[in-house]
Amino acid sequence: MGLTYGAAALPIARCEIGVKEHPPGSNDGPRVRAYLDGHGPEAWCADFGTWCLRRAGFPEPTWNRSYCPSWLEAARGGLAGMRVLAVGEPLEAGLVVLYDWGHDGVVDHFGLLSRVTGSQTFAAIEGNTSPTSDSNGGAVMERSRSRSDVGAFIKLPQVPAPARVLPHDGTLRLEIGEGAWAGWDECRNRLINISRNGLNPATRCAIAWNHHSWRGAHDVAGVARHLVREFRL
C-alpha cells in the first residue's frame, strides 16, 4: 500500500498544532490567513485541512474547499480520486473525517484522522476547534473522537511516487519577526534569501527542521545555508 495524500499531510498538520486565532473568536490571525488562502475570514476547519493537503501535493479542489458538505459531495462523485469509505472498512491514518454533530445528515466539521485508538474511537488533527467548541474553537488541536459523531470518512488517493513529499517537508518551519511559514513550498525562497544575505543580528527568528530547532539570527542563517547546500536550491 502506498502513501495517501492524507497520510502525507499528517506531519504538516502536526507541526501546526497550537496555532490559535488572533484575536480570539475572529476567524482571523497571521497563521489563520495562510490557511484561508484569500478566503474569509470564515470558519476555517476545512480551509486548514485543505492547506495541509495542498502542501502534501493534493490538487487544488474544484469544489468549495471551505464547505464540508462540498467535500462529501465531491467524494461521492469520485472527484480528485476521492471516495467515501464504505461501512465496515477499517479506519487508517490519513482519512478525511467529516463530522455530523447534529446527526441530521449535514456534515459540520473537518479533520484528518491521525491515529486509530479503538474499535469506535480515533484521534484527529483539526483546525478551528477547542475542548469548549468542537467546530468553532479557534485553535489547531489533536482531538479524541468517536465514530458515532462521524458523517463520513473520505479516503484520498495515493501520492504518485515521483511527487512524494520530501522527507523534511512536514517538519520544516521558519519564523521571522511576526511571520511564520511551514513546509518546503513556503520556506524555499526565504531560505535562499537568508543564505545569500544573512539576517540582522537583532532579528527575532527561529527555525525547526527534522525534529530539531534553533533560535537567533546566527543559528537560523547557518541552518538555512546548510539546507540550501544540502538540497541544491
Side-chain angles (χ1 to χ4, degrees), residues 77-132:
L79 298 185
M82 301 188 300
R83 66 177 179 85
V84 177
L85 203 70
V87 175
E89 281 193 79
L91 300 185
E92 61 185 55
L95 294 174
V96 169
V97 188
L98 298 176
Y99 301 95
D100 179 5
W101 305 127
H103 302 279
D104 56 5
V106 179
V107 290
D108 313 293
H109 187 58
F110 187 112
L112 289 172
L113 195 152
S114 54
R115 293 178 292 121
V116 177
T117 57
S119 61
Q120 298 297 317
T121 58
F122 60 92
I125 302 175
E126 303 164 11
N128 202 18
T129 189
S130 75
T132 57

Side-chain angles (χ1 to χ4, degrees), residues 16 19-24 26-52 55 65-66 127-128 138 140 173 178-182 186 190:
E16 301 300 305
V19 170
K20 296 181 180 180
E21 295 175 356
H22 183 75
S26 64
N27 286 324
D28 199 3
R31 195 68 186 148
V32 173
R33 286 187 208 118
Y35 308 149
L36 291 169
D37 193 24
H39 299 254
E42 63 189 8
W44 48 276
C45 61
D47 290 299
F48 170 73
T50 304
W51 182 89
C52 297
R55 272 141 194 82
R65 49 170 276 169
S66 306
N128 202 18
V140 179
R173 184 176 175 91
E178 297 300 318
W181 305 271
E186 289 190 11
R190 292 175 176 88

Side-chain angles (χ1 to χ4, degrees), residues 147-194:
R147 292 187 73 153
S148 63
D149 288 321
V150 175
F153 294 101
I154 296 175
K155 185 158 185 174
L156 303 176
Q158 293 182 9
V159 180
R164 287 204 175 180
V165 180
L166 291 171
H168 61 279
D169 190 46
T171 61
L172 178 63
R173 184 176 175 91
L174 178 65
E175 298 178 7
I176 301 175
E178 297 300 318
W181 305 271
W184 197 243
D185 288 344
E186 289 190 11
C187 295
R188 181 192 301 265
N189 289 337
R190 292 175 176 88
L191 292 174
I192 293 172
N193 181 63
I194 292 170

Side-chain angles (χ1 to χ4, degrees), residues 6-16 125 170-171:
L10 282 175
I12 299 170
R14 191 169 294 282
C15 283
E16 301 300 305
I125 302 175
T171 61

